[in-house]
Amino acid sequence: SKISYALAHAEPSSADLRCLCLGFSQCIFDLARELGVNDDGRQSAARHVSTIRAMVVAEPHRNDLRHSLSICLRLAGGLDQETGRGGKARRHFKESLAIMRRLVDAEPDRADLRNELSISLRSLGILAQVGGRGKEARRYLEESLAIVRTLLDAEPDRADLQLELSHSLNILGD
């Protein structure tokens, strides 16, 4: 993956290299978790976020890259939260949320983006809940829940949305 990052940084407009690099997103964060989220895992995740961020800077009009950055930031926030770095997790989650809000504003009919927005809100809600910030947690979690309910109203047979609703209700009930 280091080679793909170097190539993507050297040539950020290459679609093939970008796809190669983006293909590592979830794998990198999953691997970091499996390895116990050690320094190497965190550094690899940070390099990945930096690479995606550089691609966004190189092509600021590309909402697909912004979407990838938002997801990577949320995943990085999850790693931070798991390792007791609440402040850093909060910064990652908030940046992810801000990007996702802009994406949803630009394309409000995209259910996938709205679902990602609800996940970003839920991530911040859980972090606030764990940190003892009950009012803040409830605000994020209720907004997340409202989005999931709206999505489910439009597509009541989607099992993934039913699962999201159940998950959100369980967290809000804690």
Side-chain angles (χ1 to χ4, degrees), residues 94-134:
K94 282 191 170 260
E95 185 178 358
S96 172
L97 177 62
I99 293 167
M100 198 54 67
R101 283 194 193 279
R102 286 191 300 271
L103 292 171
V104 168
D105 287 347
E107 298 183 73
D109 294 333
R110 283 193 49 190
D112 63 319
L113 293 179
R114 292 191 344 243
N115 188 44
E116 290 289 343
L117 175 61
S118 77
I119 295 168
S120 292
L121 287 160
R122 188 172 61 227
S123 296
L124 269 166
I126 292 168
L127 183 66
Q129 195 175 48
V130 168
R133 297 181 310 277

Side-chain angles (χ1 to χ4, degrees), residues 9-45:
H9 272 299
E11 196 175 338
S13 63
S14 169
D16 291 337
L17 294 175
R18 191 170 49 247
C19 288
L20 177 65
C21 187
L22 293 177
F24 287 113
S25 290
Q26 188 66 50
C27 295
I28 285 172
F29 290 97
D30 287 346
L31 181 61
R33 278 194 177 89
E34 286 180 29
L35 294 174
V37 197
N38 59 24
D39 286 340
D40 288 340
R42 279 191 299 276
Q43 288 172 1
S44 180

Side-chain angles (χ1 to χ4, degrees), residues 10 35 43 64 75 81 90 92 124 126 148-149 152 168:
L35 294 174
Q43 288 172 1
D64 59 326
L75 293 170
Q81 184 176 4
R90 185 178 171 132
H92 279 133
L124 269 166
I126 292 168
V148 172
R149 283 188 167 142
L152 199 50
S168 294

Side-chain angles (χ1 to χ4, degrees), residues 67-91:
H67 183 217
S68 293
L69 178 59
S70 177
I71 291 171
C72 288
L73 286 164
R74 191 178 71 233
L75 293 170
L79 287 176
D80 294 331
Q81 184 176 4
E82 289 175 22
T83 57
R85 292 173 165 84
K88 194 169 187 176
R90 185 178 171 132
R91 286 189 299 278

